[in-house]
Amino acid sequence: MPMLKRAALAAALCTAFAAQAADSVKVGIALDISGPFAALGAESRDGFDLAIEKLGGKLGGLPAEVVKTDFGGSPEQAVQLVQRYLQREKIDFFTGPIASNSALAVGPALFAAKVPFISSNPGPSPYAGKQCNPYFFGQYQNDTYDEAAGKLANEKGYKNMVIVAPNYPAGKDHLNGFKRLYKGALKDEIYTKVGQIDYAAEIAQIRAAKPDAVFFFLPGAMGINFVKQFVGGGLKDIPLVAPGFSADQDVIQAVGEPMLGLYNTAHWTHDLQIPANAEFVAAFRKKYDGRYPTVYAAMAYDTIMAIDAAVRDVGGRIEDRAAVAAALAKPSFQSVRGEFAYGRNHYPVQNYYLRVVDKDAEGKLTNKLVGTVLEKHQDAYVGECGM
């Protein structure tokens, strides 16, 4: 056969092969079931499981294999896990880590392999700006929750504040976001250790500063211990303001009555009046003994729904990674947060809401929607993205 004809035939066969739908979809999930973010990882796992159950174990109509592995919140272990997922498991999609340092650690290998990384939580600023990538998709950008909180603090008339966060990438993003919109004075800016449980020194600093209010980003067990010690240290008369991660259902359940009246900001709340959200919350409470879902569970659920929609939208041709990324960038699923669109950096343009810890009709402590703080809000880093 002449050389040109052989080349043309090979090209035609490649095109035909690429057009065929895959037989199945494989998703790799890095779970934080142990380590400093264990409670949050468990919430994410429950959201993933509920979505997969709702879809009957399929994604986009194809049989789905979901590989879940606990990596203990260690960025180093996350890198090793992703290498195994890519080399041995041959995953088609990746999600799962809670922390931004883990997301930043695993990104390069995933992007080099053109495996879509749909974040089920972290929204680190580098991926929103200069390190944006066609294969990364965020649920929110870290700073945005706190930009909303900064605006709230202005509206509350807090003239001077102390702000607190763990010393890691997300902690710095969250405090930077608060400072971006807060117009008052900062009496102190405190960085704690990741996983810290004793806040005696920090509470002494706050007591000495005598602020009008305290803003804190301390998710999971860190937030639980901080609020308990804050109130126990006699500072209950100083108002607390937080992003939703520091006042979510896991923290509320563990702390109890001292959480009443705490204002927090988030891109989602369980009482958001949207059909997809009402269905999700009802199914979650039925499956998990009546407890309300957290933001982490809601984002994990949305992650699976986004993958399902993208696989369906490309007709199962998941080997065409560029087409999959393009489908993810134009989400066609019904999100629990309602309508949203991606900016060019693949971070959402969406609403951010004010919630307050109150009691529901059954007397259970939970967040209640108060109103919208930021409408169709885009992160501050999109201008640095070259996509």
Side-chain angles (χ1 to χ4, degrees):
M1 183 182 296
M3 183 70 72
L4 289 176
K5 287 187 176 180
R6 286 203 302 269
L9 178 59
L13 288 172
C14 287
T15 301
F17 177 77
Q20 292 177 352
D23 295 326
S24 63
V25 183
K26 183 174 284 191
V27 180
I29 302 179
L31 286 178
D32 290 79
I33 299 301
S34 60
F37 304 103
L40 316 182
E43 283 288 324
S44 293
R45 175 201 60 203
D46 292 348
F48 289 134
D49 289 349
L50 179 63
I52 293 163
E53 180 181 289
K54 173 182 170 59
L55 295 171
K58 293 185 177 182
L59 291 171
L62 296 178
E65 181 179 353
V66 179
V67 185
K68 295 182 289 187
T69 309
D70 177 28
F71 73 102
S74 164
E76 293 78 15
Q77 290 188 36
V79 170
Q80 295 174 15
L81 175 61
V82 164
Q83 289 172 344
R84 177 166 67 82
Y85 277 177
L86 292 173
Q87 295 168 12
R88 292 171 51 188
E89 301 290 350
K90 307 295 183 183
I91 59 171
D92 301 302
F93 297 89
F94 175 81
T95 188
I98 293 295
S100 289
N101 54 357
S102 294
L104 290 167
V106 301
L110 292 162
F111 303 154
K114 297 184 178 181
V115 170
F117 178 0
I118 303 93
S119 175
S120 61
N121 178 55
S125 57
Y127 288 167
K130 294 179 181 178
Q131 296 178 37
C132 64
N133 190 278
Y135 293 95
F136 182 82
F137 296 85
Q139 298 269 358
Y140 65 95
Q141 195 278 313
N142 289 342
D143 301 38
T144 52
Y145 266 54
D146 319 281
E147 289 166 353
K151 183 181 178 187
L152 170 66
N154 296 332
E155 293 170 354
K156 290 290 183 182
Y158 300 143
K159 302 298 183 184
N160 59 81
M161 296 183 67
V162 171
I163 58 178
V164 185
N167 190 12
Y168 78 120
K172 294 175 182 178
D173 280 351
H174 280 278
L175 293 196
N176 284 336
F178 183 83
K179 291 185 290 184
R180 187 171 293 115
L181 292 192
Y182 176 58
K183 296 179 180 179
L186 293 181
K187 287 241 175 173
D188 209 344
E189 183 172 342
I190 302 172
Y191 286 96
T192 68
K193 294 180 179 178
V194 175
Q196 184 172 323
I197 58 173
D198 183 356
Y199 294 96
E202 289 79 9
I203 287 170
Q205 283 180 255
I206 293 168
R207 184 182 292 108
K210 298 179 180 179
D212 290 341
V214 172
F215 171 79
F216 71 106
F217 166 68
L218 292 163
M222 292 181 284
I224 292 167
N225 284 281
F226 177 80
V227 176
K228 285 182 175 180
Q229 293 168 37
F230 186 89
V231 173
L235 302 184
K236 64 181 181 179
D237 292 331
I238 298 177
L240 290 170
V241 178
F245 308 112
S246 304
D248 215 337
Q249 204 63 34
D250 58 318
V251 180
I252 294 170
Q253 286 181 329
V255 175
E257 294 284 332
M259 294 292 291
L260 275 169
L262 195 157
Y263 286 101
N264 62 97
T265 51
H267 79 289
W268 171 88
T269 182
H270 68 75
D271 54 350
L272 199 60
Q273 297 303 304
I274 295 169
N277 189 49
E279 180 183 348
F280 159 66
V281 173
F284 190 96
R285 296 195 72 189
K286 181 178 180 180
K287 183 175 176 64
Y288 299 114
D289 300 322
R291 83 175 195 269
Y292 286 109
T294 61
V295 169
Y296 302 97
M299 290 189 293
Y301 183 89
D302 256 7
T303 295
I304 297 300
M305 294 303 171
I307 294 172
D308 173 65
V311 175
R312 181 179 62 250
D313 290 346
V314 298
R317 295 178 294 107
I318 55 177
E319 296 89 350
D320 188 344
R321 297 293 172 77
V324 171
L328 286 165
K330 295 182 179 180
S332 62
F333 70 102
Q334 298 298 308
S335 170
V336 298
R337 82 195 81 181
E339 292 186 9
F340 74 99
Y342 283 116
R344 73 168 185 264
N345 58 358
H346 289 174
Y347 278 77
V349 180
Q350 61 191 356
N351 291 350
Y352 289 83
Y353 302 100
L354 174 61
R355 312 186 302 182
V356 66
V357 180
D358 202 342
K359 291 184 178 180
D360 67 6
E362 302 169 3
K364 292 183 178 180
L365 286 170
T366 188
N367 276 301
K368 287 190 174 182
L369 174 63
V370 176
T372 304
V373 182
L374 296 172
E375 189 172 351
K376 295 182 179 179
H377 185 61
Q378 172 77 68
D379 65 271
Y381 301 95
V382 65
E384 301 174 12
C385 174
M387 285 199 299

